[in-house]
Amino acid sequence: MPRRKAIVIAPPRDTSSDEAALRALYRKDPSRILPNALWKTVARLQSLECRFIDDAGSVTGVELREPGKMLIYGTRTQDPLKAASVKLDGVPTVYIHNDFVAPLAPWFDRKEAFFRLVHTGSELPLRATVPGYTIHEVNTTTELPLVATILHACYDTPTPGTDEIATWTKRPVFASHAWLWIVDRKEKRPVALGIAETDKDTGEGSLEWIQVLPAFRSLGLGTMLVQELVYRLEQKVAFTTVVGQVKNPCEPEHLFRRCGFAGRDVWWVLHR
Ligand SMILES: CC(C)(COP(=O)(O)OP(=O)(O)OC[C@H]1O[C@@H](n2cnc3c(N)ncnc32)[C@H](O)[C@@H]1OP(=O)(O)O)[C@@H](O)C(=O)NCCC(=O)NCCS
């Protein structure tokens, strides 16, 4: 009889203590600890090695490593010497705050900078309206193909298709009230789309996809969309975050700052 090869399935690792420590650290300074909303990292903790950085008895930072794939280094301190302890070990992708990028940058040939801003909700934003346009919630049962079409029309780079977008509606952070169209009343069709998520465990909202069809830009629709999303999110969360490419000709950082987002944190993604 042919012998069957035994398949060893490792039991899931208990990540609860890492998650608790990361959550506590993140709440103190979200934009310096991670390059993205916390839930995205928590969802991947099974595959990440966590090393917490202790500074005189208190946890000030974290190094998250997926061996052979990527490294995230986030710390509340601004001391550049702390980053000297980061061991690259040939990792091909590194996410690192602007304060610590300089010594690592020469080892990587592709570098992209991302702003990371926070809206604290201390002042709810105005809800600007543009005459002729109205806000509607996306029907996430019937309108996902239209969501895919609008995303495709707004970017030069590849965008997710309907099947991938459908998976977003199954995540615990899915918030149907934060999937919004701006509809052109005369043409009776959507011309802008905003998608945000809410992580109730952290009290964090995050703007994920903000776009206006090219022919309808610079009319104030981006502002109308972001203000409406923040208004809706901050009924339920303590703060809202957003990440975007610094070098984007549409200058979204300007749009978000105009809508009350603040901060000076920039993260670099280094690839080799
Ligand atoms: C970014 C985007 C949503 C802005 O939408 P919009 O409807 O043009 O934004 P608004 O008309 O409300 O303009 C908001 C501010 O940004 C400014 N702005 C808009 N487009 C700009 C551009 N290309 N360059 C510089 N500033 C710009 C406006 O002047 C306005 O500032 P002001 O009120 O101080 O004058 C839109 O350009 C877009 O969909 N881009 C492609 C998708 C994208 O990159 N999304 C952001 C991902 S993080």
Side-chain angles (χ1 to χ4, degrees):
M1 239 179 49
R3 288 179 62 187
R4 289 231 179 110
K5 222 179 175 179
I7 299 169
V8 181
I9 300 170
R13 191 167 58 90
D14 180 7
T15 56
S16 53
S17 62
D18 282 346
E19 180 180 334
L22 184 59
R23 201 176 283 286
L25 180 63
Y26 182 81
R27 280 204 185 103
K28 289 182 185 150
D29 202 343
S31 301
R32 287 191 69 87
I33 299 303
L34 289 176
N36 50 259
L38 176 69
W39 74 265
K40 295 185 187 189
T41 302
V42 167
R44 302 177 55 195
L45 268 186
Q46 275 294 331
S47 59
L48 296 175
E49 290 171 1
C50 297
R51 182 176 74 87
F52 288 95
I53 299 151
D54 199 290
D55 199 356
S58 75
V59 174
T60 54
V62 66
E63 190 183 295
L64 297 152
R65 187 182 288 272
E66 189 169 359
K69 289 196 177 159
M70 68 100 192
L71 170 77
I72 302 172
Y73 179 83
T75 172
R76 298 182 66 209
T77 71
Q78 293 174 7
D79 178 358
L81 289 177
K82 294 281 171 206
S85 66
V86 177
K87 288 198 179 63
L88 293 177
D89 289 337
V91 74
T93 305
V94 170
Y95 296 78
I96 195 150
H97 193 279
N98 197 42
D99 286 350
F100 307 112
V101 73
L104 303 190
W107 304 99
F108 295 84
D109 33 56
R110 279 187 296 128
K111 301 157 189 115
E112 268 181 293
F114 292 82
F115 59 82
R116 177 116 158 84
L117 303 177
V118 181
H119 194 289
T120 57
S122 52
E123 274 179 49
L124 278 179
L126 299 167
R127 291 159 89 193
T129 51
V130 179
Y133 298 90
T134 39
I135 300 275
H136 285 271
E137 286 185 15
V138 174
N139 181 332
T140 52
T141 311
T142 60
E143 291 185 318
L144 296 187
L146 187 54
V147 168
T149 304
I150 298 277
L151 289 182
H152 181 71
C154 288
Y155 295 88
D156 297 332
T157 47
T159 48
T162 307
D163 290 348
E164 185 179 344
I165 295 167
T167 65
W168 305 346
T169 66
K170 307 282 184 281
R171 300 195 287 222
V173 291
F174 169 63
S176 59
H177 72 295
W179 284 53
L180 299 180
W181 298 121
I182 291 184
V183 172
D184 179 335
R185 275 202 214 132
K186 207 161 47 181
E187 295 191 28
K188 293 190 173 49
R189 67 176 177 106
V191 296
L193 167 69
I195 300 176
E197 290 172 334
T198 54
D199 172 359
K200 294 193 191 86
D201 294 337
T202 316
E204 176 175 16
S206 61
L207 302 188
E208 294 295 325
W209 290 89
I210 302 295
Q211 47 282 305
V212 176
L213 285 177
F216 295 83
R217 290 181 189 164
S218 295
L219 299 175
L221 296 179
T223 305
M224 179 173 165
L225 192 58
V226 171
Q227 289 188 345
E228 179 67 27
L229 279 170
V230 173
Y231 180 84
R232 286 173 177 234
L233 290 175
E234 291 186 359
Q235 318 284 326
K236 314 217 173 209
V237 297
F239 64 98
T240 301
T241 56
V242 69
V243 178
Q245 258 179 325
V246 170
K247 275 195 182 166
N248 178 336
C250 301
E251 300 205 17
E253 183 173 352
H254 177 77
L255 162 68
F256 296 123
R257 288 192 185 279
R258 197 185 183 287
C259 294
F261 283 80
R264 49 162 216 90
D265 296 291
V266 169
W267 281 76
W268 286 84
V269 185
L270 311 175
H271 300 280
R272 59 178 157 197

